[in-house]
Amino acid sequence: MIRIKELRTEKQISQKDLAKHFHVAQSTISSWEKGARDPDTATVAALAAFFGVSTDYLLEKTDIRSDTRTTLDDIKFALFGTTDIDDATLEDIKAYARFKREQYNNR
C-alpha cells in the first residue's frame, strides 16, 4: 500500500487529515503506508474513490490510474459483490451515506 502515501502527498493531505476523513487513527494510516497493515476491502475501495484511482492502481497491481467509471465499479463491487447496481439504487446509497456522514459530524 505504498501508493497511499504517494497519493496523499499529491493531494497535500496530512496523515492526520486522512485519518480523520476515514475515521481511523493516524497510526493506522502510517501502518498502511509502511505496509505493516492492510486496510479491508471496503476501505481499499473507499481510498481508491477518494483519490480517484482504481483499486488495482492503489494496490500497485498496475501503473494505470484509471477513470472514474472504473472507480465507481470498484465501489459497487466492494459494497455488493457486483457492479450491476442500477442508478436509482446508487443514488439512494449516496443519499444514505450523506445522511450518515452528517449524523456522524453532528455528534
Side-chain angles (χ1 to χ4, degrees):
M1 281 308 244
I2 297 169
R3 285 212 168 117
I4 292 174
K5 182 175 183 178
E6 169 191 323
L7 293 165
R8 180 180 59 75
T9 303
E10 280 178 17
K11 278 194 143 188
Q12 300 179 340
I13 299 170
S14 68
Q15 283 185 346
K16 181 179 178 180
D17 289 338
L18 188 62
K20 185 176 178 178
H21 181 81
F22 283 93
H23 311 295
V24 297
Q26 182 178 346
S27 61
T28 300
I29 301 296
S30 178
S31 293
W32 292 344
E33 289 183 357
K34 292 176 183 174
R37 290 181 52 199
D38 292 325
D40 60 39
T41 304
T43 304
V44 168
L47 283 163
F50 179 81
F51 289 117
V53 297
S54 69
T55 55
D56 282 348
Y57 182 81
L58 188 67
L59 296 171
E60 297 183 329
K61 294 181 179 182
T62 183
D63 289 329
I64 300 169
R65 286 183 177 234
S66 193
D67 62 14
T68 305
R69 185 67 186 174
T70 301
T71 303
L72 182 56
D73 284 347
D74 289 341
I75 293 168
K76 288 177 181 179
F77 188 79
L79 290 172
F80 302 103
T82 181
T83 58
D84 190 26
I85 304 298
D86 62 81
D87 290 340
T89 301
L90 188 59
E91 287 306 313
D92 287 345
I93 293 163
K94 288 178 185 178
Y96 181 73
R98 285 189 295 274
F99 166 75
K100 292 303 286 182
R101 181 178 59 228
E102 286 299 316
Q103 198 176 40
Y104 179 84
N105 289 336
N106 291 329
R107 49 182 182 132

